[in-house]
Every structure is written in structure tokens, then in C-alpha cells.
Amino acid sequence: MTSIDALDRDRIRELFDIRSPVFEFTGGGYAGDLHASFRELRERAAVQEGTVHDLIGHDGPAIFHGLPEPDRPHFSAFSFETIDQVYRNDTIYASSPQAVDQPDAPVGHEASMLMMGGAPHRRYRNLVQPSFVPAKMHWWLDKWVDSSANMLIDFFLDDGAAELNVDFCASIPVLTITGSFGIAVDQALDVRSNLHDAEWMSDFLAPILAARREQPLDDLISVLVEAELAGDDGSVHRLSDDEIHSFAVLLLLAGSGTTWKQMGIAIATLLTRPELLEEVRADRSKIKPLIEESLRWEPTDPMFSRWVTEDTELGGVSIPKGAVMHMCLGAANRDPARWDDPDEFDIHRQLKPSLGFGGGAHVCLGMHLARLEMTTGINALLDRLPGLRLDPDRPAPELIGLYERAASEIPVVFDPPTENGGDQNG
Ligand code: HEM
């Protein structure tokens, strides 16, 4: 059995299908015209009282960052300009309720950097940032990304058909991030399904941490084990198991939970436009604008939130201390004040930064890795699957979901390798 045979397809489908019960709480099955609603709301006013899902009239499950928080007033921002203001002011717009309720409390070991602010956030982020800079991408590529993408293709190459969401997109990020934590392929899915079970994760990580403390290796978990954190008083300490634990859960969650959806969105959009597919197949430098345009046009996580630490005003609306501000990145990314014909998917438009990876101090730590995984994945598909196209006998992919967007499924066919070796890599 090759290591990839250890991945159970049905289990992947359960864990990584936007329509499955796993995604119900974020509105996974939502199939309304989300962007038409975003457009209407943005045109009505840049900032409005209410949650995004209430404002679009969705009354099904809808939990995400900053939700449900039933006891707080909620506001939502829809324009690029107002969200940019929120991202630039992380004193007023904080990343956790603690900044409002107990501003002087010390950062607990259970907190992840996603929830911290100011100096503690910078100190924690700086511990791992060097592993995620562009210059470090060859490390990720050579150690995990390239091999994962090609192993997955080997697995379905002879079939002449695949469902790329499950057979490909879902697995590259989970294998990459678990690999960087020293987790074997046959345990990757167990980890993915137990990420919210603190006791399970703690028991699982303990022997890996002990082994790396004994003998560090060239991987991300060793970086965390060896990292030295400076305290407010200037003292320096190695991270405790609990601190590593919360770091690990955030990185494993963010690393395995987002890129597969964005890669599926980019691939589905490419395959439903045959002329674009031919253009990108012939000129691989177009993969970069394809990915950037997918992040603008359909960011997989279209909403993140902030807690308001003092009375303020945004877009002409008074916002009270204690409110939650939801930043509708999906609406801001199609703001006509910033992009011409914003609803068009156009890889030739002038490249301007979008909010697909957020902004400000908490801008996505893994954005270069995510770009690398998507670029490597799309290149490998085009290199190794001649005649790649949507399966004409299966339903075409749809982009669905409310607070998490993804392709429903991506059934494809391609020309299988010939006896003389049609596959260059095989
Ligand atoms: C296409 C894939 C991805 C998308 C669309 C995405 C999107 C985002 C966004 C929008 C934020 C900002 C959240 C906020 O404003 O509160 C964020 C933060 C973050 N992302 Fe990503 N992400 C992706 C992939 C990854 C990967 C692969 C990793 C790690 C391996 C990662 C790790 C993180 C971390 C640690 C943060 C928190 C940073 C901080 O608090 O300073 N992300 N991501």
C-alpha cells in the first residue's frame, strides 16, 4: 500500500464536502445568489446594523467568526473603504471579545494569535512568520507540496476521471500542514476530524513534542518546540505544551480548512470557461492572475469580524463599544469604487490587492503557502492530465455556501496515459 492509499476517499468526502453535515453550521448548503445580495446591500449603505446573514434574509444555521454573540449589537460593513479602515485600526476593532470585556487580563495560553492584539500578537506571530515568508516557499514545495500533488494524481491517473474537490484539492493542504507537524498520512484525517477536541489533540501531540524536544527535525513542529518567546519583563521562555497546542490547532485548522476550497473555486472557474482553460494551459504564467482573481471574485471565507473597544463611527454610522463589526470581504472585493466591472471574472484586469487574505496586522499568515499549493496543484493537473475537462455527463460545479464558499463538486475527465507513456511524471 502506498502512503496515499491510506487516505479514505469516503472519509475525505465527509470531511471536505461543503454540502455535508460538517459544514452545516456555517451555512454550507446555502445556494442563493449571494453576490446579488452583497451587491444590493453594498448599494444600500456601506455600513448597516445587523449580521450579514440577517441582512440577506437567511434564517438557517450561520455560525462563523464573531457569531453568534447573541448579547451584543451587530453591524456589517460592505465597502472596500470601510473594511480597509477597520483593518487599519486594530485598537478600536479588536480580534477578540476579551479586548472589550477584560482589556487588562493577560493573554491565556489557550488563546491563539488570531484572537490576540498589539504587542502579544506581534510576538507570537513573529515566532512562526519566518517559516511562511516567500523565501521559505521552496522548503514547503520540496518537502511536502510537490510530492502530495503528484501522489494524488498518481492515484487516479489511470481512471481517466476524478472528482477534483475530494481526490485532489481537499488533500493537498491537509497533507502539507500535517506533514509539517510530523503527522503521518494515515493519521492526517484523524487529526483533521479531531481538531476541536482539546484532549484528543493534546494526547496526540504529546509524543511528537517529546520526540522533537529530544531531537529537532527540519519541520514546523520543531520550529515551535525551539521557539523562544519574550515576556513583557524581557524574560525569554520556550513555549509550553499548552502554548504549542493552541498554535498547532490554529495552524492545522487554517492550513487544512481554507486552501482546498479556494483551489476548488479557482479550478471550477477555470474549467467552466474553455477559452480561459486553453489560455492558461498554453501560458502557465496566467495561473498567478487566475488565483488572485479567484481570491477577489470569490474569497472562500467571505466574512471576518472584530469586537469594538470604544464608541466610534464608521461609514457615517455610530457604533457603540461592545458591538461586533462583521467585515463582508466578499462584498468589498466586488466594490465598483475599486474595480471596474467587478462581477466579471477577468484574469487580465490590473492587479490590485483584494481582501481575500484579509488585511492589517492579522493578514493571513499562510497566504504565500496557500498560493504555492494552488499554483503547484493547478500546474500539476495541466501537466499530467492531457485533455482535462469537466465531465459532460455530470452536473457542472456550482459555487455554494454562506460563510464558507466552495465548489459543490468538480467532476472531470481526461485522456488516460497511453502504453507508450503519455504521462511525463508517471
Ligand atoms: C486560500 C487559502 C486561505 C485563505 C482565503 C485565508 C484567509 C485568511 C483571512 C481572511 C485571514 C484574516 C482573518 C481576520 O481578519 O481575522 C487569515 C488569517 C490567518 N490565516 Fe489564512 N487563509 C488561507 C490559507 C491559510 C494557510 C494555508 C494557513 C497556514 C498554514 C493560514 C493561516 C492563517 C493564520 C495563522 C491566520 C491568523 C493570522 C493572525 O492572526 O495574525 N491561512 N487567513
Side-chain angles (χ1 to χ4, degrees), residues 261-280:
K261 295 179 289 158
Q262 196 70 51
M263 190 172 352
I265 288 167
I267 293 174
T269 308
L270 180 67
L271 294 176
T272 40
R273 291 164 169 73
E275 278 176 20
L276 182 60
L277 176 61
E278 284 326 303
E279 183 181 349
V280 174

Side-chain angles (χ1 to χ4, degrees), residues 132-331:
F132 289 91
V133 295
K136 199 71 185 172
M137 287 305 122
H138 65 90
W139 183 71
W140 289 95
L141 180 67
D142 297 345
K143 286 183 77 79
W144 300 291
V145 180
D146 193 47
S147 54
S148 303
N150 281 299
M151 267 193 316
L152 291 162
I153 294 180
D154 290 342
F155 196 62
F156 58 70
L157 184 65
D158 292 334
D159 301 346
E163 198 285 273
L164 293 181
N165 244 357
V166 165
D167 295 334
F168 194 67
C169 301
S171 302
I172 296 176
V174 74
L175 291 177
T176 299
I177 198 72
T178 53
S180 78
F181 274 81
I183 297 166
V185 171
D186 60 359
Q187 294 176 315
L189 297 181
D190 284 342
V191 171
R192 172 73 201 166
S193 49
N194 284 292
L195 277 173
H196 295 289
D197 182 339
E199 207 180 314
W200 190 96
M201 280 304 293
S202 201
D203 292 347
F204 181 83
L205 287 173
I208 304 181
L209 294 185
R212 293 303 189 275
R213 287 208 168 99
E214 184 89 0
Q215 173 75 58
L217 296 179
D218 185 21
D219 57 17
L220 190 62
I221 187 76
S222 301
V223 169
L224 289 175
V225 162
E226 299 209 287
E228 296 193 327
L229 184 70
D232 287 333
D233 56 1
S235 64
V236 171
H237 73 273
R238 289 263 163 109
L239 297 180
S240 65
D241 279 12
D242 282 342
E243 284 168 327
I244 295 183
H245 179 109
S246 50
F247 243 120
V249 170
L250 172 64
L251 291 170
L252 288 163
L253 258 178
S256 66
T258 43
T259 315
W260 74 273
K261 295 179 289 158
Q262 196 70 51
M263 190 172 352
I265 288 167
I267 293 174
T269 308
L270 180 67
L271 294 176
T272 40
R273 291 164 169 73
E275 278 176 20
L276 182 60
L277 176 61
E278 284 326 303
E279 183 181 349
V280 174
R281 203 198 297 275
D283 177 0
R284 302 304 173 76
S285 71
K286 302 278 170 58
I287 293 178
K288 180 179 156 54
L290 169 78
I291 289 170
E292 296 309 314
E293 180 67 344
S294 88
L295 282 154
R296 180 196 73 81
W297 187 73
E298 189 71 271
T300 177
D301 292 353
M303 193 276 287
F304 275 93
S305 310
R306 292 294 183 264
W307 285 260
V308 179
T309 60
E310 56 186 76
D311 290 350
T312 188
E313 178 262 304
L314 186 70
V317 177
S318 297
I319 316 289
K321 175 180 174 180
V324 186
M325 175 60 69
H326 304 288
M327 300 176 284
C328 190
L329 310 179

